[in-house]
Amino acid sequence: MTTWTRWVLWMVWLAAVGWLWFAGSLGTGAALAAVLPSPLLFLLPGAVRRRRSGLQYVEMGKEPVGLL
């Protein structure tokens, strides 16, 4: 998932929890419990993912040509 998508999902999550709290469906404790770990869930996995642009070495096995 791209960084932009993670930020958008995080903003949608915060807006949904804020709206539910404002509407009275969530209490203050439940809203805080839903919001506080959200940066870890949405933003951190993007920072620890493996780079795709790094060099990757592949060991290729070679068979002798003259012994077939």
Side-chain angles (χ1 to χ4, degrees):
M1 204 178 332
T2 64
T3 305
W4 184 85
T5 308
R6 289 182 187 278
W7 278 97
V8 169
L9 282 175
W10 188 44
M11 290 298 142
V12 168
W13 177 260
L14 293 177
V17 171
W19 184 80
L20 288 171
W21 175 76
F22 184 73
S25 298
L26 281 178
T28 304
L32 287 174
V35 168
L36 290 179
S38 66
L40 296 175
L41 296 175
F42 288 109
L43 302 179
L44 186 62
V48 296
R49 68 181 173 165
R50 188 174 58 128
R51 284 186 171 181
R52 293 183 186 154
S53 62
L55 292 175
Q56 294 181 359
Y57 296 98
V58 178
E59 184 178 338
M60 305 206 36
K62 295 182 179 179
E63 296 181 14
V65 177
L67 298 177
L68 292 176

